[in-house]
Amino acid sequence: MTGPHTPAAMSGFAAPFANPAGSPIRELFPYLSQPGMISLAGGYPSPSLFDAEGLAQAAGRAMTGDAQALQYGATEGLPVLRTALAALMEARGVQASGEQMMVTTGSQQAFDLLVRVLIEPGDTVLVEVPAYPATLQALRLAQARIVPVPMDEYGLQTDALADLLHQLPATQRPKLLYTVPNFSNPRGTLLAAQRREALVQLACAHGFWVVEDDPYGELRFDTADGDAAAMPPTLRAVGDLLAASGTNPVVYLSSLSKTVAPALRIGWMLADSSLLRRCAIAKQTVDLCTSPLAQMVAARYLESGRYPATVQRARIEYQRRMQALVQGIATQLDGRVQCAAPAGGMFVWATFTPSIDPQALFDAAVSQQVLYVPGKAFYPDNAQLNTMRLSFAAPEVPQIEQAVQRLAAAVALAMR
Ligand SMILES: Cc1ncc(COP(=O)(O)O)c(C=O)c1O
């Protein structure tokens, strides 16, 4: 039976969902199930680095005691986890109490809550470009006006941002700026220290929030002489200094997804109390609270003392994988694909010669059973550029070596 009120004829979708585009990375999933495919596409941590034993012990401990892990919890998060996360922040050079911290269901949710609380259709949002696609997607669904801020090898270009801010008409004053200062997704860049200060100064002067999304900061690689590279201060810490008597404009987001396990879905937000309170109200209608079971497992895991060694293992292994990828590209791709070695994180950003058509290369890569994310996924206008993101985190070194050979074969096919 069909009629005006049967499901097939139903519509009434809200404007952003009338004709929505899905995540460009999730759209690559069907290729992943093709037999023999080697994926350099997703930002998935390596399964061989999960500390399953430590997590099993933490899960056991989470279930004993007063059953808090099985009950609803406060929207802001379990106090025991918020305190453990505050200690983690201290190790990152940020002073914070558990009350200034909100636990979220992945850091992805934290950004979504911020968008709900801050953005109305037509509002201007500054985004470093190339950008993390889910950020672009959240902003598109909120009908924000996305204004790209260019990056170079030192991260977001603050001089270009200053010029942009002068050019924007008063009616288009930005509400917030989004950046991944540490080992950005997709470019892998580390924002230079002087730019961190310049960025927070611009935010204070022009009155916009800065979202510092930091899931990768702990995955920094050793320098050539084997030392752990020093990290510049977080934007949040710079904000604490520069806005000593006023509101710190920096909202800090992070996650256990890349260092412990994405399945926990544990992220967190550190922000000014006015913003945090509103995000908590927004979260009440989304999921009431992040799974207390997952929170308790995370808290018990952090207090077990295994976290630093787990991160250390990941840093060393990801550096090996990154080197295999970057060296393979340098030696096997005849300069047709070029990239810089990142100082941490999970991604290599590569540029290929303009004589190769991006779609032809992607098709050839799929035919050669190697997958990457085409650069267009990272631009607000889906610009079809000669770029690609290659993740070295999930495949083992021999697979990475094979993936580079396949990429070389794909380049040769696409050059014809
Ligand atoms: C820059 C960035 N932010 C946020 C996320 C989402 O992380 P989570 O698993 O904590 O939601 C990712 C995951 O790939 C990411 O790359």
Side-chain angles (χ1 to χ4, degrees):
M1 188 183 83
T2 55
H5 301 297
T6 56
M10 294 289 275
S11 64
F13 301 116
F17 290 92
N19 212 355
S23 152
I25 295 184
R26 295 203 160 242
E27 278 167 15
L28 299 176
F29 277 21
Y31 297 113
L32 286 178
S33 53
Q34 290 184 9
M37 183 67 82
I38 300 178
S39 175
L40 304 173
Y44 282 30
S46 174
S48 67
L49 292 167
F50 292 144
D51 179 11
E53 188 191 319
L55 284 167
Q57 286 168 9
R61 281 199 296 275
M63 301 292 277
T64 54
D66 59 6
Q68 252 195 90
L70 300 177
Q71 189 53 278
Y72 287 117
T75 302
E76 293 81 358
L78 298 184
V80 61
L81 179 59
R82 294 165 81 193
T83 304
L85 294 175
L88 212 63
M89 290 309 302
E90 208 175 313
R92 297 181 191 182
V94 178
Q95 296 300 324
S97 67
E99 291 80 63
Q100 289 171 290
M101 209 87 73
M102 181 161 92
V103 177
T104 55
T105 303
S107 57
Q108 188 64 46
Q109 183 185 61
F111 187 70
D112 197 67
L113 296 175
L114 286 167
V115 169
R116 279 163 191 262
V117 165
L118 291 171
I119 304 303
E120 292 177 69
D123 279 348
T124 300
V125 177
L126 301 162
V127 180
E128 66 179 15
V129 162
Y132 173 48
T135 292
L136 295 174
Q137 196 182 6
L139 292 170
R140 282 192 197 107
L141 289 174
Q143 299 177 285
R145 207 175 144 269
I146 302 172
V147 175
V149 183
M151 301 174 83
D152 61 18
E153 65 269 40
Y154 305 106
L156 181 147
Q157 291 180 265
T158 43
D159 286 350
L161 173 64
D163 291 347
L164 195 71
L165 287 165
H166 281 298
Q167 285 156 20
L168 281 179
T171 50
Q172 290 176 18
R173 278 186 43 187
K175 278 264 182 78
L176 67 84
L177 177 144
Y178 173 87
T179 179
V180 183
N182 298 329
F183 319 125
S184 72
N185 181 358
R187 267 203 74 152
T189 49
L190 179 63
L191 185 65
Q194 49 301 17
R195 290 192 184 180
R196 293 180 186 237
E197 208 170 307
L199 173 54
V200 178
Q201 266 162 357
L202 286 169
C204 291
H206 291 264
F208 57 84
W209 299 99
V210 174
V211 178
E212 173 178 31
D213 192 4
D214 186 22
Y216 301 106
E218 288 189 325
L219 298 177
R220 67 187 184 286
F221 302 147
D222 291 346
T223 55
D225 40 20
D227 295 333
M231 286 291 282
T234 62
L235 295 171
R236 176 74 195 177
V238 174
D240 278 339
L241 277 179
L242 293 184
S245 54
T247 301
N248 186 337
V250 181
V251 182
Y252 181 91
L253 312 184
S254 193
S255 170
L256 295 182
S257 290
K258 311 296 177 174
T259 49
V260 182
L264 285 174
R265 307 306 303 129
I266 296 293
W268 66 96
M269 176 189 322
L270 173 58
D272 184 70
S273 58
S274 62
L275 194 50
L276 209 60
R277 193 165 58 80
R278 287 170 172 83
C279 286
I281 291 169
K283 183 171 162 68
Q284 286 167 3
T285 63
V286 176
D287 61 1
L288 300 177
C289 59
T290 293
S291 159
L293 181 54
Q295 290 189 63
M296 197 58 97
V297 174
R300 297 294 176 233
Y301 188 74
L302 290 174
E303 70 190 27
S304 74
R306 296 174 75 111
Y307 181 78
T310 300
V311 174
Q312 175 72 349
R313 268 196 306 279
R315 293 176 48 228
I316 292 169
E317 184 56 27
Y318 290 152
Q319 183 161 17
R320 279 184 65 232
R321 296 182 189 192
M322 179 279 289
Q323 284 165 343
L325 179 60
V326 170
Q327 280 162 16
I329 289 173
T331 53
Q332 293 193 48
L333 284 152
D334 293 337
R336 288 176 180 138
V337 177
Q338 290 183 323
C339 65
M346 292 187 167
F347 305 110
V348 162
W349 182 245
T351 307
F352 48 92
T353 157
S355 56
I356 302 177
D357 174 63
Q359 188 61 46
L361 181 57
F362 182 77
D363 294 343
V366 169
S367 77
Q368 295 303 305
Q369 300 184 301
V370 60
L371 203 60
Y372 60 81
V373 184
K376 67 178 179 181
F378 306 96
Y379 290 87
D381 55 3
N382 284 326
Q384 181 69 294
L385 299 166
N386 287 43
T387 47
M388 60 170 104
R389 188 192 77 178
L390 304 161
S391 173
F392 47 81
E396 310 272 339
V397 167
Q399 278 181 302
I400 291 176
E401 287 165 355
Q402 206 178 356
V404 173
Q405 285 168 12
R406 293 179 183 186
L407 211 50
V411 167
L413 280 175
M415 296 282 293
R416 281 196 195 139

